[in-house]
Amino acid sequence: MNRYLLSVPPSLIPFFHTLTGKSSGEWMVDCDPGGARVGSGGGTAWMLYRAWQKESPELVFGSWLTRQKRMILHAGGQSRRLPAYAPVGKILTPVPVFRWQRGQRLDQTLLDLQAPLYDRILQLAPSGVNTLVASGDVLITAGETMGVLPQADVICFGLWISPEQSSNHGVFFCNRRQPEQLEFMLQKPPVEQIRELAPDYYFMMDIGIWLLSDRAVHLLMERSGYTGDPTRFCPANYDLYGSFGPSMGLNPRDSDPGIQELTVKILPLEGGAFYHFGTGSDMLSSMLQIQNRVLDQRAIWSRNIKPHASIFVQNALTERPFSEQNRQIWIENSCVPASWTLRSRHILTGIPENSWKIDLPEGICLDLVPVGGKICLRPYGFNDSFSGKAARANWMERPLTEWLDARGISLTAVAREDQDIQEVPLFPVPDKSGPLDGWIRWMTGDLRENETYAALWLNTPRLSAGQISNEADLMKLQQQREHFRARSLEKLAGNYRKSVFYQSDLDHTAREWACAGPLALPALLPVAESPLLQIHNRMFRDRVAGYRGDAAGAEEREAFRILQQAILERFRANPVFPRKNVLSDQIVWGRSPARLDLAGGWTDTPPYCLIEGGAVVNVAVELNGQPPLQAFIRPTEKPTLVLRSIDLGEREEISTWEQLASISRIGSAFAIPRAALMLAGFHPHYCQAAYASLEEQLRDFGGGLEISLLSAIPKGSGLGTSSILAATILGTLSDFASLNWDKNAIGNRTLALEQLLTTGGGWQDQFGGLLPGIKYLESAPGIDQDPVARWLPDPLFTRPENTGSMLLYYTGITRVAKNILAEIVRGMFLNSGRHLHILREMKGHAKNTFEAIQANRYDLLAAMIRQSWQLNCRLDEGTNTPEVAAIIRKFEDRALAWKLLGAGGGGYLFIMAKDPEAAAGIRSALQKDPPNARARFVDMSLSVSGFQFTRS
């Protein structure tokens, strides 16, 4: 588990964990010492020092540093240019749900959106690189894929961007022959300088995400004034980006021999984008860019497909309709009744319920802050920077002195001329008994009652911007925000066609709904709506009932049924007509390899793949020299269906459709062949012709048939056994009954078969066994999943030095995948943000694994397998059980990577040893000390045929 160290405004520290719900054991918050300016370098050193002293002061600093990965996020500024969120810091700025993204929370903040990318990068950090530093006032997004990070002391991420945009930030200049190699870094270089250097160097904008090795951290601590005495540390004012950075590289512009000795790598953040939240204008323009980043209507759930206007309303009650004249408006934690008139360039925050009559001039913003049981009125200008001396500073987009003169007030009555405007007491805290709308009108430009309000203003307690941040009642602000959000939930749900309601994290939203009081459940959606919307609606209703303590489960079952019917409809709408295609003494013999899932597993599972598409990499393998899953079909004279299991020694005979359709019995040895026979047309739901009975159909068919099955793999193996066996039966039936299905059709019918069985499941298992070799399989969003296969070169799985280093070990531990699958599918149904973040990483990781195999590097593939295992463990905590962990401990020092196949928790373990000698050592160790009597090694070899069938 990563540790998060946040530098925040001092006033936020006592309330952070209550406001955010984040664990104090995982999230540590602090601020710079004594309000001193220590810079990003000194601030980083201070946060590390404070965490060390709080967690393990008995350890030396170096030992403590290596124990855990940590993220340091700097968010402790005064937020002068974004006053709306100054009391809590920009990092807790509420951010609207992206209209093209699923799984976001209606109460999400900038921090919630920042952390997943930083987590992802920190997870990929190489050995000895344990510290990530980032800025709290930006949102950085990245593409799905992120490769293996190189080993270096400092790893910085950059964006390819124009000289004009780069000139306001740090800029990395890199070697054109080795683009990862930093030559030097400049802070805010002029556009002309960047253009002069561009012919000789690649340049990228520094986006503030730096990974530091333990060695680099020690140097940073020294440069920030740490002398090694753990009892005394007062950080110096040292800038990470402005001082440490320009001293890095092969030819740094600043001289610091110690820093220059560090190895540095600069990586472009593929598919990345940088959104600044430094000012009110930045906040609105960034959100507009984000909302319009995706214009593909297939990715936008709202039926309102117009480009997003620059009006953002969240956690708010608004009765005033907007027109084309309204632009750049942000309303949050506020009530804006119909009696208000708005124009453009407004940021409205903290406004309680009211019936005021307000006509807000263009460019004027309003923030109402609870302070000591009263309300502080903070109007300001959209572009106010709150910087500079009072005599020359602006307020409300005009000189402060001009505002005062218009009201007959002298500057000297309010402030010293050289006083920082941030410290000038401009914002009144009126007595609670009087109305506030008159105050607001007077302060924002209506001077008809100037004499009254000017005198009141001078004689009423007033706060400066700095004082507001220190004295704001943060809990009352949050309570009002939660109250407004709760009252808006019903409207969002009712307006689901144009709102983001059903694309939000529905589990979290259901919890809020249940806590919001007597809200009626959203109505059931009409059957004409898309199956996915109906599923979300049903799951949400069920989850609310559960959180209220009411009877739950029925609506969830209906959601699963809707998914089942949506997938099966394709095959019911296109029934088949089975006709016997064998001689009376012939047998059709079908056989398939097992599959090893290397990357992307779970992304092929409905409903995730139906909405976002799936991507996996897997390998077809034979075990002990044979395809382990086999089916034999022969004709019989008697008009019945006979099912036999060679490995289980069981037999069933079926003579009616009712018997055939009884496939829901858990543990039935023949549920899979029953469902396969139905889909092959031996049931009226899937047959073109009409018959009075199964007996009549079989007599017309020319007699019955007998299916014998052989599964030479233990149940719960993780090798895709049930799905591949189903595909083998369907493929064999296709030849036996003249159905002429190709492998793609067989794979799709296997997906339908698993829905018939209510076991669910994705498409990768059957395609992994149907198709030979090593392949990257990818599907597009949509109910009809037709994955496209791209075959990969096989030397990594055929060269003796590699095959001698790869092991397949049966742990002897079984785990039923159905229960795991149901829990994860439940998370998909509910748009669980945690699940969706990991699934998107898995999908991108599959692409990286595809590229690693193309590179034909054993070490790179091992790195991908390690990541795949880590992702599986994050998705399902039951993947790495204590029993499995005990097995891994016996060989981990000899292995580069390992991964339980399939759902995890047991079954087969794929191991990539360091070399053939290490593999021999692993084999010897586990054979001498097996975890149970069933555990064993199994020989595997690449299947070059996939599914195949022959006739006797």
Side-chain angles (χ1 to χ4, degrees), residues 50-240:
R50 292 281 285 174
W52 167 39
Q53 291 300 300
K54 184 176 181 179
E55 294 170 18
S56 304
E58 73 283 0
L59 296 177
V60 297
F61 179 75
S63 298
W64 170 82
L65 190 63
T66 62
R67 293 178 66 180
Q68 192 176 30
K69 292 184 181 293
R70 297 172 184 85
M71 174 203 306
I72 299 166
L73 205 53
H74 292 293
Q78 291 183 311
S79 192
R80 293 179 181 231
R81 297 180 298 165
L82 184 58
Y85 299 106
V88 294
K90 296 170 190 172
I91 202 165
L92 293 188
T93 299
V95 179
V97 170
F98 304 167
R99 63 185 187 142
W100 44 266
Q101 183 71 283
R102 290 189 311 133
Q104 294 187 339
R105 288 166 34 174
L106 297 175
D107 66 344
Q108 68 188 3
T109 64
L110 186 56
L111 176 59
D112 295 320
L113 296 177
Q114 291 170 330
L117 175 61
Y118 301 153
D119 267 333
R120 184 173 159 196
I121 291 171
L122 207 46
Q123 289 285 346
L124 297 174
S127 173
V129 179
N130 295 308
T131 306
L132 182 146
V133 184
S135 170
D137 65 354
V138 298
L139 174 60
I140 298 166
T141 60
E144 287 184 342
T145 62
M146 189 175 293
V148 176
L149 301 186
Q151 191 75 49
D153 290 311
V154 183
I155 304 168
C156 300
F157 289 87
L159 286 179
W160 303 111
I161 208 161
S162 71
E164 289 76 13
Q165 294 170 298
S166 298
S167 65
N168 293 319
H169 304 273
V171 181
F172 301 120
F173 291 88
C174 299
N175 189 295
R176 279 189 168 267
R177 291 185 177 180
Q178 295 176 296
E180 288 187 356
Q181 181 62 60
L182 177 68
E183 290 284 343
F184 55 88
M185 178 187 181
L186 299 179
Q187 272 297 326
K188 298 184 179 181
V191 173
E192 295 75 16
Q193 187 178 11
I194 298 175
R195 286 179 176 156
E196 288 174 6
L197 292 167
D200 298 317
Y201 303 98
Y202 288 122
F203 68 91
M204 279 183 279
M205 184 183 81
D206 175 20
I207 56 176
I209 303 176
W210 288 28
L211 284 168
L212 303 178
S213 70
D214 299 342
R215 178 188 177 199
V217 168
H218 281 289
L219 265 178
L220 177 62
M221 295 292 290
E222 290 177 12
R223 299 302 182 270
S224 301
Y226 181 63
T227 61
D229 182 353
T231 64
R232 298 178 61 188
F233 178 44
C234 182
N237 186 359
Y238 184 76
D239 195 71
L240 179 68

Side-chain angles (χ1 to χ4, degrees), residues 356-358 435-443 446 449 453:
W356 305 332
K357 185 174 179 60
I358 301 290
L436 298 179
D437 51 343
W439 278 96
I440 294 168
R441 288 193 296 269
W442 173 76
M443 293 184 74
D446 184 347
E449 299 181 63
Y453 279 102

Side-chain angles (χ1 to χ4, degrees), residues 695-718:
E695 181 179 355
E696 180 185 334
Q697 180 178 2
L698 290 174
R699 289 190 185 281
D700 183 57
F701 185 72
L705 57 88
E706 179 181 280
I707 302 177
S708 298
L709 309 176
L710 172 63
S711 175
I713 310 177
K715 188 176 181 180
S717 67

Side-chain angles (χ1 to χ4, degrees), residues 281-355:
S281 177
D282 288 337
M283 179 176 71
L284 276 143
S285 63
S286 289
M287 282 312 308
L288 185 61
Q289 289 177 57
I290 290 169
Q291 295 291 359
N292 289 330
R293 179 180 174 183
V294 175
L295 297 177
D296 184 339
Q297 296 167 28
R298 295 168 296 181
I300 299 173
W301 280 53
S302 168
R303 303 294 174 89
N304 182 5
I305 61 171
K306 297 187 300 182
H308 196 288
S310 55
I311 298 174
F312 301 92
V313 179
Q314 57 177 329
N315 309 318
L317 304 176
T318 58
E319 299 173 1
R320 182 80 189 178
F322 298 107
S323 69
E324 292 295 323
Q325 284 68 47
N326 296 127
R327 286 286 185 272
Q328 291 185 284
I329 295 176
W330 179 279
I331 302 174
E332 195 274 323
N333 190 12
S334 294
C335 173
V336 179
S339 55
W340 285 49
T341 299
L342 302 181
R343 290 173 174 78
S344 296
R345 297 191 300 122
H346 302 309
I347 297 174
L348 308 178
T349 47
I351 300 166
E353 292 188 63
N354 67 88
S355 56

Side-chain angles (χ1 to χ4, degrees), residues 470-487:
N470 293 330
E471 299 185 27
D473 188 334
L474 302 185
M475 296 308 300
K476 191 165 186 178
L477 268 177
Q478 184 68 5
Q479 289 163 5
Q480 177 176 283
R481 177 176 286 119
E482 291 172 356
H483 171 71
F484 285 150
R485 187 168 57 252
R487 289 187 57 185

Side-chain angles (χ1 to χ4, degrees), residues 21-22 27 68 76 125 213 223 295 303 331 415 456 463 473 494 514 524 555 595 629 664 723 737 825 854 894 941:
K22 298 190 184 300
W27 296 78
Q68 192 176 30
S213 70
R223 299 302 182 270
L295 297 177
R303 303 294 174 89
I331 302 174
L456 278 172
L463 299 178
D473 188 334
L524 289 174
E555 299 247 40
R595 70 94 188 94
L629 300 160
S664 58
S723 298
V825 169
Q854 282 188 317
R894 295 185 176 101
S941 57

